[in-house]
């Protein structure tokens, strides 16, 4: 991302907190998701944020609504995905980030932790991450999607998958199978 779209200025924040309401543009979605299977839907979205300072830390609680587009995993038609999710993160000054060689203890109840540098908290990477995590692995245009229709000349003959009588050449194998099944009983 060349320019961050969702930036909170630290000096605007105090303990009581402040609200922001950002538009998530289709251009931002297109560039943020360019290396994924997702793209912007027919509409952009919104990022509503409440941020408050606690000493040097900044607690950010947000709500993301956006429309994304993906290809159906079965038929490859475009699918619109409506994303509606909450995010919470605690941003600490960059100089408090643990060194790589320090062991970082991860607790399951721990809030999403991130770091800010200078005088602003940049939310773009976190918004992108939440959108990617929210999208289904195999999006479907509908639960009953039949997938891509296989042209007649590419379909296997009915006896491969159908209920037609088995090929006569399999008769010796079927006899062997019956014999083995009887022996097991």
């Amino acid at each position: 991302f060349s320019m961050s779209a969702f930036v909170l200025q630290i000096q605007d924040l105090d303990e009581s907190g402040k609200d922001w309401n950002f538009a998530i543009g289709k251009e931002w979605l297109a560039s943020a998701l360019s290396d994924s299977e997702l793209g912007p839907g027919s509409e952009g979205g919104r990022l509503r944020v409440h941020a408050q300072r606690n000493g040097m830390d900044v607690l950010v609680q947000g709500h993301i609504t956006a429309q994304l587009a993906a290809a159906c995993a079965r038929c490859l038609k475009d699918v619109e995905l409506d994303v509606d999710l909450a995010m919470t993160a605690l941003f600490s000054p960059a100089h408090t980030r643990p060194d790589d060689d320090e062991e970082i203890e991860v607790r399951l109840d721990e809030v999403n932790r991130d770091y800010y540098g200078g005088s602003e908290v940049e939310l773009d990477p976190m918004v992108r991450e939440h959108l990617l995590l929210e999208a289904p692995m195999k999006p479907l245009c509908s639960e009953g999607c039949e997938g891509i229709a296989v042209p007649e000349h590419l379909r296997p003959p009915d006896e491969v998958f159908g209920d037609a009588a088995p090929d006569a050449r399999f008769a010796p194998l079927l006899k062997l199978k019956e014999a083995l099944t009887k022996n097991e009983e």
Side-chain angles (χ1 to χ4, degrees), residues 6-24:
F6 318 122
V7 177
L8 313 180
Q9 299 298 330
I10 301 285
Q11 77 262 12
D12 295 347
L13 288 170
D14 58 26
E15 267 122 49
S16 59
K18 185 175 170 186
D19 296 313
W20 277 266
N21 191 342
F22 297 102
I24 301 177

Side-chain angles (χ1 to χ4, degrees), residues 72-121:
C72 172
R74 292 184 192 151
C75 70
L76 303 179
K77 284 190 186 122
D78 283 345
V79 184
E80 293 261 305
L81 305 169
D82 286 315
V83 175
D84 185 337
L85 61 119
M87 66 173 218
T88 301
L90 187 66
F91 288 84
S92 301
H95 67 81
T96 64
R97 185 193 301 259
D99 295 328
D100 290 342
D101 54 355
E102 255 181 66
E103 213 168 290
I104 301 171
E105 189 181 315
V106 176
R107 293 206 326 270
L108 288 173
D109 60 344
E110 197 170 286
V111 70
N112 215 334
R113 217 173 226 293
D114 214 330
Y115 298 90
Y116 68 87
S119 61
E120 48 190 41
V121 173

Side-chain angles (χ1 to χ4, degrees), residues 24-45 65-71 77-83 131-132 135:
I24 301 177
K26 288 167 72 170
E27 304 76 34
W28 185 89
L29 287 168
S31 94
L33 303 171
S34 62
D35 59 352
S36 76
E37 307 280 307
L38 301 168
S42 52
E43 296 171 28
T65 50
Q67 216 172 40
L68 306 179
K77 284 190 186 122
D78 283 345
V79 184
E80 293 261 305
L81 305 169
D82 286 315
V83 175
L131 291 173
L132 289 174

Side-chain angles (χ1 to χ4, degrees), residues 152-170:
E152 197 65 47
H153 67 285
L154 294 177
R155 288 186 196 158
D158 281 341
E159 61 266 18
V160 175
F161 296 115
D163 298 325
D167 188 311
R169 291 170 289 187
F170 287 124

Side-chain angles (χ1 to χ4, degrees), residues 124-135:
D124 298 48
M126 186 164 287
V127 172
R128 175 184 183 276
E129 186 180 314
H130 276 72
L131 291 173
L132 289 174
L133 290 173
E134 185 64 15

